[in-house]
PDB file of all heavy atoms in Angstrom:
ATOM      1  N   GLN A   1      78.611 129.095  94.249  1.00 95.00           N
ATOM      2  CA  GLN A   1      79.824 129.663  93.545  1.00 95.00           C
ATOM      3  C   GLN A   1      80.904 130.183  94.635  1.00 95.00           C
ATOM      4  O   GLN A   1      82.167 129.956  94.502  1.00 95.00           O
ATOM      5  CB  GLN A   1      79.448 130.858  92.659  1.00 95.00           C
ATOM      6  CG  GLN A   1      78.598 130.503  91.469  1.00 95.00           C
ATOM      7  CD  GLN A   1      78.330 131.749  90.628  1.00 95.00           C
ATOM      8  OE1 GLN A   1      79.358 132.477  90.352  1.00 95.00           O
ATOM      9  NE2 GLN A   1      77.110 131.943  90.262  1.00 95.00           N
ATOM     10  N   GLU A   2      80.438 130.790  95.682  1.00 95.00           N
ATOM     11  CA  GLU A   2      81.324 131.253  96.692  1.00 95.00           C
ATOM     12  C   GLU A   2      82.154 130.290  97.363  1.00 95.00           C
ATOM     13  O   GLU A   2      83.305 130.347  97.605  1.00 95.00           O
ATOM     14  CB  GLU A   2      80.678 132.053  97.720  1.00 95.00           C
ATOM     15  CG  GLU A   2      81.460 132.807  98.796  1.00 95.00           C
ATOM     16  CD  GLU A   2      80.801 133.330  99.958  1.00 95.00           C
ATOM     17  OE1 GLU A   2      79.539 133.100 100.009  1.00 95.00           O
ATOM     18  OE2 GLU A   2      81.312 134.070 100.774  1.00 95.00           O
ATOM     19  N   ARG A   3      81.476 129.095  97.765  1.00 96.00           N
ATOM     20  CA  ARG A   3      82.076 128.007  98.386  1.00 96.00           C
ATOM     21  C   ARG A   3      83.286 127.501  97.442  1.00 96.00           C
ATOM     22  O   ARG A   3      84.307 127.162  97.910  1.00 96.00           O
ATOM     23  CB  ARG A   3      81.158 127.012  98.798  1.00 96.00           C
ATOM     24  CG  ARG A   3      80.214 127.457  99.898  1.00 96.00           C
ATOM     25  CD  ARG A   3      79.098 126.409 100.019  1.00 96.00           C
ATOM     26  NE  ARG A   3      78.076 126.992 100.997  1.00 96.00           N
ATOM     27  CZ  ARG A   3      76.895 126.390 101.201  1.00 96.00           C
ATOM     28  NH1 ARG A   3      76.573 125.190 100.549  1.00 96.00           N
ATOM     29  NH2 ARG A   3      76.093 126.829 102.165  1.00 96.00           N
ATOM     30  N   ARG A   4      82.904 127.401  96.209  1.00 96.00           N
ATOM     31  CA  ARG A   4      83.854 126.716  95.202  1.00 96.00           C
ATOM     32  C   ARG A   4      85.072 127.744  95.202  1.00 96.00           C
ATOM     33  O   ARG A   4      86.256 127.369  94.998  1.00 96.00           O
ATOM     34  CB  ARG A   4      83.182 126.537  94.007  1.00 96.00           C
ATOM     35  CG  ARG A   4      82.114 125.391  93.838  1.00 96.00           C
ATOM     36  CD  ARG A   4      81.370 125.532  92.614  1.00 96.00           C
ATOM     37  NE  ARG A   4      80.149 124.601  92.757  1.00 96.00           N
ATOM     38  CZ  ARG A   4      79.110 124.659  91.919  1.00 96.00           C
ATOM     39  NH1 ARG A   4      79.103 125.576  90.923  1.00 96.00           N
ATOM     40  NH2 ARG A   4      78.207 123.766  91.919  1.00 96.00           N
ATOM     41  N   ALA A   5      84.756 129.060  95.053  1.00 95.00           N
ATOM     42  CA  ALA A   5      85.822 130.070  94.903  1.00 95.00           C
ATOM     43  C   ALA A   5      86.713 130.117  96.151  1.00 95.00           C
ATOM     44  O   ALA A   5      87.896 130.285  96.075  1.00 95.00           O
ATOM     45  CB  ALA A   5      85.154 131.486  94.748  1.00 95.00           C
ATOM     46  N   TRP A   6      86.120 129.909  97.346  1.00 95.00           N
ATOM     47  CA  TRP A   6      87.011 129.841  98.582  1.00 95.00           C
ATOM     48  C   TRP A   6      87.971 128.728  98.510  1.00 95.00           C
ATOM     49  O   TRP A   6      89.085 128.911  98.887  1.00 95.00           O
ATOM     50  CB  TRP A   6      86.063 129.744  99.789  1.00 95.00           C
ATOM     51  CG  TRP A   6      86.726 129.790 101.083  1.00 95.00           C
ATOM     52  CD1 TRP A   6      86.899 130.845 101.847  1.00 95.00           C
ATOM     53  CD2 TRP A   6      87.295 128.734 101.782  1.00 95.00           C
ATOM     54  NE1 TRP A   6      87.691 130.647 102.957  1.00 95.00           N
ATOM     55  CE2 TRP A   6      87.859 129.236 103.043  1.00 95.00           C
ATOM     56  CE3 TRP A   6      87.403 127.260 101.527  1.00 95.00           C
ATOM     57  CZ2 TRP A   6      88.497 128.349 103.854  1.00 95.00           C
ATOM     58  CZ3 TRP A   6      88.065 126.519 102.519  1.00 95.00           C
ATOM     59  CH2 TRP A   6      88.573 127.040 103.593  1.00 95.00           C
ATOM     60  N   ALA A   7      87.369 127.598  98.097  1.00 95.00           N
ATOM     61  CA  ALA A   7      88.210 126.404  98.075  1.00 95.00           C
ATOM     62  C   ALA A   7      89.315 126.639  97.047  1.00 95.00           C
ATOM     63  O   ALA A   7      90.567 126.134  97.165  1.00 95.00           O
ATOM     64  CB  ALA A   7      87.410 125.197  97.568  1.00 95.00           C
ATOM     65  N   TRP A   8      89.045 127.202  95.810  1.00 96.00           N
ATOM     66  CA  TRP A   8      89.954 127.532  94.856  1.00 96.00           C
ATOM     67  C   TRP A   8      91.115 128.369  95.235  1.00 96.00           C
ATOM     68  O   TRP A   8      92.265 128.119  95.122  1.00 96.00           O
ATOM     69  CB  TRP A   8      89.297 127.986  93.551  1.00 96.00           C
ATOM     70  CG  TRP A   8      90.216 128.314  92.400  1.00 96.00           C
ATOM     71  CD1 TRP A   8      90.723 127.540  91.534  1.00 96.00           C
ATOM     72  CD2 TRP A   8      90.528 129.715  92.036  1.00 96.00           C
ATOM     73  NE1 TRP A   8      91.455 128.196  90.668  1.00 96.00           N
ATOM     74  CE2 TRP A   8      91.408 129.679  90.909  1.00 96.00           C
ATOM     75  CE3 TRP A   8      90.367 130.953  92.542  1.00 96.00           C
ATOM     76  CZ2 TRP A   8      91.927 130.655  90.228  1.00 96.00           C
ATOM     77  CZ3 TRP A   8      90.866 132.024  91.983  1.00 96.00           C
ATOM     78  CH2 TRP A   8      91.687 131.829  90.735  1.00 96.00           C
ATOM     79  N   VAL A   9      90.769 129.505  95.944  1.00 94.00           N
ATOM     80  CA  VAL A   9      91.728 130.413  96.494  1.00 94.00           C
ATOM     81  C   VAL A   9      92.630 129.659  97.521  1.00 94.00           C
ATOM     82  O   VAL A   9      93.724 129.980  97.611  1.00 94.00           O
ATOM     83  CB  VAL A   9      91.081 131.689  96.944  1.00 94.00           C
ATOM     84  CG1 VAL A   9      92.107 132.615  97.733  1.00 94.00           C
ATOM     85  CG2 VAL A   9      90.376 132.452  95.840  1.00 94.00           C
ATOM     86  N   HIS A  10      92.060 128.929  98.352  1.00 92.00           N
ATOM     87  CA  HIS A  10      92.654 128.234  99.426  1.00 92.00           C
ATOM     88  C   HIS A  10      93.708 127.187  99.027  1.00 92.00           C
ATOM     89  O   HIS A  10      94.702 126.877  99.760  1.00 92.00           O
ATOM     90  CB  HIS A  10      91.644 127.684 100.391  1.00 92.00           C
ATOM     91  CG  HIS A  10      92.110 127.321 101.793  1.00 92.00           C
ATOM     92  ND1 HIS A  10      92.562 125.959 102.030  1.00 92.00           N
ATOM     93  CD2 HIS A  10      92.217 127.945 102.778  1.00 92.00           C
ATOM     94  CE1 HIS A  10      92.954 126.015 103.275  1.00 92.00           C
ATOM     95  NE2 HIS A  10      92.823 127.199 103.757  1.00 92.00           N
ATOM     96  N   GLU A  11      93.452 126.674  97.743  1.00 92.00           N
ATOM     97  CA  GLU A  11      94.340 125.614  97.353  1.00 92.00           C
ATOM     98  C   GLU A  11      95.791 126.011  97.032  1.00 92.00           C
ATOM     99  O   GLU A  11      96.634 125.255  97.041  1.00 92.00           O
ATOM    100  CB  GLU A  11      93.678 125.037  96.088  1.00 92.00           C
ATOM    101  CG  GLU A  11      92.515 124.120  96.442  1.00 92.00           C
ATOM    102  CD  GLU A  11      91.784 123.620  95.285  1.00 92.00           C
ATOM    103  OE1 GLU A  11      92.328 124.045  94.004  1.00 92.00           O
ATOM    104  OE2 GLU A  11      90.809 122.940  95.234  1.00 92.00           O
ATOM    105  N   ALA A  12      95.903 127.313  96.598  1.00 90.00           N
ATOM    106  CA  ALA A  12      97.279 127.760  96.030  1.00 90.00           C
ATOM    107  C   ALA A  12      97.474 129.303  96.252  1.00 90.00           C
ATOM    108  O   ALA A  12      96.482 129.988  96.422  1.00 90.00           O
ATOM    109  CB  ALA A  12      97.383 127.384  94.585  1.00 90.00           C
ATOM    110  N   PRO A  13      98.711 129.684  96.425  1.00 89.00           N
ATOM    111  CA  PRO A  13      98.883 131.116  96.685  1.00 89.00           C
ATOM    112  C   PRO A  13      98.743 131.871  95.298  1.00 89.00           C
ATOM    113  O   PRO A  13      98.660 131.296  94.290  1.00 89.00           O
ATOM    114  CB  PRO A  13     100.319 131.155  97.098  1.00 89.00           C
ATOM    115  CG  PRO A  13     100.991 129.895  96.532  1.00 89.00           C
ATOM    116  CD  PRO A  13      99.904 128.870  96.472  1.00 89.00           C
ATOM    117  N   ASN A  14      98.662 133.150  95.475  1.00 91.00           N
ATOM    118  CA  ASN A  14      98.553 134.095  94.266  1.00 91.00           C
ATOM    119  C   ASN A  14      97.383 133.886  93.458  1.00 91.00           C
ATOM    120  O   ASN A  14      97.404 134.039  92.254  1.00 91.00           O
ATOM    121  CB  ASN A  14      99.846 133.881  93.433  1.00 91.00           C
ATOM    122  CG  ASN A  14     100.480 135.247  92.912  1.00 91.00           C
ATOM    123  OD1 ASN A  14     100.130 136.277  93.445  1.00 91.00           O
ATOM    124  ND2 ASN A  14     101.366 135.170  91.985  1.00 91.00           N
ATOM    125  N   ARG A  15      96.233 133.637  94.140  1.00 95.00           N
ATOM    126  CA  ARG A  15      94.917 133.574  93.538  1.00 95.00           C
ATOM    127  C   ARG A  15      94.047 134.587  93.960  1.00 95.00           C
ATOM    128  O   ARG A  15      93.998 134.878  95.146  1.00 95.00           O
ATOM    129  CB  ARG A  15      94.374 132.144  93.759  1.00 95.00           C
ATOM    130  CG  ARG A  15      95.012 131.016  92.869  1.00 95.00           C
ATOM    131  CD  ARG A  15      94.307 129.713  93.027  1.00 95.00           C
ATOM    132  NE  ARG A  15      94.877 128.627  92.103  1.00 95.00           N
ATOM    133  CZ  ARG A  15      94.455 127.480  92.045  1.00 95.00           C
ATOM    134  NH1 ARG A  15      93.534 126.985  93.003  1.00 95.00           N
ATOM    135  NH2 ARG A  15      94.935 126.628  91.138  1.00 95.00           N
ATOM    136  N   PHE A  16      93.312 135.167  93.023  1.00 95.00           N
ATOM    137  CA  PHE A  16      92.387 136.289  93.371  1.00 95.00           C
ATOM    138  C   PHE A  16      91.102 136.143  92.829  1.00 95.00           C
ATOM    139  O   PHE A  16      90.890 135.484  91.676  1.00 95.00           O
ATOM    140  CB  PHE A  16      93.073 137.660  92.853  1.00 95.00           C
ATOM    141  CG  PHE A  16      94.278 138.002  93.644  1.00 95.00           C
ATOM    142  CD1 PHE A  16      95.577 137.478  93.273  1.00 95.00           C
ATOM    143  CD2 PHE A  16      94.270 138.949  94.754  1.00 95.00           C
ATOM    144  CE1 PHE A  16      96.704 137.835  93.807  1.00 95.00           C
ATOM    145  CE2 PHE A  16      95.476 139.221  95.290  1.00 95.00           C
ATOM    146  CZ  PHE A  16      96.688 138.785  94.930  1.00 95.00           C
ATOM    147  N   VAL A  17      90.053 136.764  93.307  1.00 95.00           N
ATOM    148  CA  VAL A  17      88.660 136.560  92.867  1.00 95.00           C
ATOM    149  C   VAL A  17      88.174 137.985  92.608  1.00 95.00           C
ATOM    150  O   VAL A  17      88.280 138.880  93.597  1.00 95.00           O
ATOM    151  CB  VAL A  17      87.767 135.852  93.816  1.00 95.00           C
ATOM    152  CG1 VAL A  17      86.382 135.962  93.446  1.00 95.00           C
ATOM    153  CG2 VAL A  17      88.147 134.394  93.958  1.00 95.00           C
ATOM    154  N   LEU A  18      87.586 138.215  91.472  1.00 95.00           N
ATOM    155  CA  LEU A  18      86.975 139.606  91.076  1.00 95.00           C
ATOM    156  C   LEU A  18      85.519 139.392  91.388  1.00 95.00           C
ATOM    157  O   LEU A  18      84.796 138.465  90.749  1.00 95.00           O
ATOM    158  CB  LEU A  18      87.220 139.888  89.535  1.00 95.00           C
ATOM    159  CG  LEU A  18      86.653 141.141  89.054  1.00 95.00           C
ATOM    160  CD1 LEU A  18      87.259 142.361  89.768  1.00 95.00           C
ATOM    161  CD2 LEU A  18      86.773 141.258  87.565  1.00 95.00           C
ATOM    162  N   THR A  19      84.981 140.327  92.182  1.00 93.00           N
ATOM    163  CA  THR A  19      83.464 140.222  92.510  1.00 93.00           C
ATOM    164  C   THR A  19      82.970 141.575  92.808  1.00 93.00           C
ATOM    165  O   THR A  19      83.781 142.549  93.249  1.00 93.00           O
ATOM    166  CB  THR A  19      83.363 139.277  93.586  1.00 93.00           C
ATOM    167  OG1 THR A  19      81.942 139.097  93.868  1.00 93.00           O
ATOM    168  CG2 THR A  19      83.888 139.791  94.845  1.00 93.00           C
ATOM    169  N   PRO A  20      81.662 141.916  92.756  1.00 91.00           N
ATOM    170  CA  PRO A  20      81.140 143.199  93.025  1.00 91.00           C
ATOM    171  C   PRO A  20      80.899 143.105  94.611  1.00 91.00           C
ATOM    172  O   PRO A  20      80.646 142.097  95.281  1.00 91.00           O
ATOM    173  CB  PRO A  20      79.785 143.128  92.346  1.00 91.00           C
ATOM    174  CG  PRO A  20      79.309 141.855  92.136  1.00 91.00           C
ATOM    175  CD  PRO A  20      80.717 141.035  91.961  1.00 91.00           C
ATOM    176  N   THR A  21      80.885 144.314  95.166  1.00 88.00           N
ATOM    177  CA  THR A  21      80.719 144.464  96.646  1.00 88.00           C
ATOM    178  C   THR A  21      79.320 144.165  97.031  1.00 88.00           C
ATOM    179  O   THR A  21      79.091 143.974  98.307  1.00 88.00           O
ATOM    180  CB  THR A  21      81.169 145.948  97.175  1.00 88.00           C
ATOM    181  OG1 THR A  21      80.369 146.829  96.418  1.00 88.00           O
ATOM    182  CG2 THR A  21      82.715 146.115  96.887  1.00 88.00           C
ATOM    183  N   ASP A  22      78.363 144.155  96.196  1.00 87.00           N
ATOM    184  CA  ASP A  22      76.985 143.959  96.532  1.00 87.00           C
ATOM    185  C   ASP A  22      76.640 142.496  96.676  1.00 87.00           C
ATOM    186  O   ASP A  22      75.538 141.978  96.873  1.00 87.00           O
ATOM    187  CB  ASP A  22      75.920 144.624  95.596  1.00 87.00           C
ATOM    188  CG  ASP A  22      76.140 144.237  94.182  1.00 87.00           C
ATOM    189  OD1 ASP A  22      76.981 143.278  93.816  1.00 87.00           O
ATOM    190  OD2 ASP A  22      75.427 144.890  93.325  1.00 87.00           O
ATOM    191  N   ALA A  23      77.667 141.668  96.343  1.00 84.00           N
ATOM    192  CA  ALA A  23      77.419 140.185  96.568  1.00 84.00           C
ATOM    193  C   ALA A  23      77.554 139.859  98.007  1.00 84.00           C
ATOM    194  O   ALA A  23      78.555 140.396  98.631  1.00 84.00           O
ATOM    195  CB  ALA A  23      78.556 139.448  95.777  1.00 84.00           C
ATOM    196  N   GLU A  24      76.512 139.300  98.488  1.00 87.00           N
ATOM    197  CA  GLU A  24      76.580 138.971  99.940  1.00 87.00           C
ATOM    198  C   GLU A  24      77.400 137.663 100.148  1.00 87.00           C
ATOM    199  O   GLU A  24      76.906 136.646 100.056  1.00 87.00           O
ATOM    200  CB  GLU A  24      75.022 138.854 100.505  1.00 87.00           C
ATOM    201  CG  GLU A  24      74.166 140.012 100.352  1.00 87.00           C
ATOM    202  CD  GLU A  24      72.754 139.817 100.797  1.00 87.00           C
ATOM    203  OE1 GLU A  24      72.514 138.783 101.302  1.00 87.00           O
ATOM    204  OE2 GLU A  24      71.966 140.773 100.627  1.00 87.00           O
ATOM    205  N   LEU A  25      78.582 137.878 100.695  1.00 91.00           N
ATOM    206  CA  LEU A  25      79.509 136.739 100.815  1.00 91.00           C
ATOM    207  C   LEU A  25      79.700 136.354 102.377  1.00 91.00           C
ATOM    208  O   LEU A  25      79.774 137.272 103.203  1.00 91.00           O
ATOM    209  CB  LEU A  25      80.926 137.209 100.264  1.00 91.00           C
ATOM    210  CG  LEU A  25      80.847 137.575  98.801  1.00 91.00           C
ATOM    211  CD1 LEU A  25      82.245 137.958  98.276  1.00 91.00           C
ATOM    212  CD2 LEU A  25      80.246 136.562  97.834  1.00 91.00           C
ATOM    213  N   ALA A  26      79.830 135.145 102.547  1.00 91.00           N
ATOM    214  CA  ALA A  26      79.951 134.612 103.984  1.00 91.00           C
ATOM    215  C   ALA A  26      81.457 134.062 104.189  1.00 91.00           C
ATOM    216  O   ALA A  26      81.920 133.919 105.245  1.00 91.00           O
ATOM    217  CB  ALA A  26      78.964 133.518 104.185  1.00 91.00           C
ATOM    218  N   CYS A  27      82.091 133.663 103.012  1.00 94.00           N
ATOM    219  CA  CYS A  27      83.429 132.996 103.041  1.00 94.00           C
ATOM    220  C   CYS A  27      84.563 133.969 102.881  1.00 94.00           C
ATOM    221  O   CYS A  27      85.613 133.419 102.786  1.00 94.00           O
ATOM    222  CB  CYS A  27      83.369 131.837 102.043  1.00 94.00           C
ATOM    223  SG  CYS A  27      82.179 130.526 102.432  1.00 94.00           S
ATOM    224  N   PHE A  28      84.222 135.132 102.533  1.00 94.00           N
ATOM    225  CA  PHE A  28      85.281 136.150 102.195  1.00 94.00           C
ATOM    226  C   PHE A  28      85.084 137.456 103.148  1.00 94.00           C
ATOM    227  O   PHE A  28      83.977 137.764 103.545  1.00 94.00           O
ATOM    228  CB  PHE A  28      85.383 136.620 100.850  1.00 94.00           C
ATOM    229  CG  PHE A  28      85.801 135.471  99.888  1.00 94.00           C
ATOM    230  CD1 PHE A  28      84.901 134.638  99.395  1.00 94.00           C
ATOM    231  CD2 PHE A  28      87.146 135.465  99.529  1.00 94.00           C
ATOM    232  CE1 PHE A  28      85.380 133.630  98.534  1.00 94.00           C
ATOM    233  CE2 PHE A  28      87.604 134.403  98.650  1.00 94.00           C
ATOM    234  CZ  PHE A  28      86.724 133.443  98.166  1.00 94.00           C
ATOM    235  N   ASP A  29      86.138 138.087 103.564  1.00 91.00           N
ATOM    236  CA  ASP A  29      86.199 139.347 104.319  1.00 91.00           C
ATOM    237  C   ASP A  29      86.238 140.521 103.363  1.00 91.00           C
ATOM    238  O   ASP A  29      87.345 140.768 102.974  1.00 91.00           O
ATOM    239  CB  ASP A  29      87.127 139.310 105.467  1.00 91.00           C
ATOM    240  CG  ASP A  29      87.104 140.606 106.248  1.00 91.00           C
ATOM    241  OD1 ASP A  29      86.214 141.504 105.972  1.00 91.00           O
ATOM    242  OD2 ASP A  29      87.877 140.667 107.235  1.00 91.00           O
TER     243      ASP A  29
END
């Protein structure tokens, strides 16, 4: 899911992802 979300945000400006902080993410800071 995270890799798909990264690609989706990367494709166009003004895109945001809602997620909990306990999700262990490697593609987002």
Side-chain angles (χ1 to χ4, degrees):
Q1 291 186 48
E2 182 190 9
R3 293 169 184 173
R4 296 166 186 167
W6 185 93
W8 177 76
V9 174
H10 195 267
E11 287 172 1
N14 223 14
R15 285 182 171 177
F16 295 81
V17 171
L18 177 65
T19 188
T21 55
D22 58 4
E24 297 183 2
L25 304 180
C27 297
F28 292 87
D29 183 359

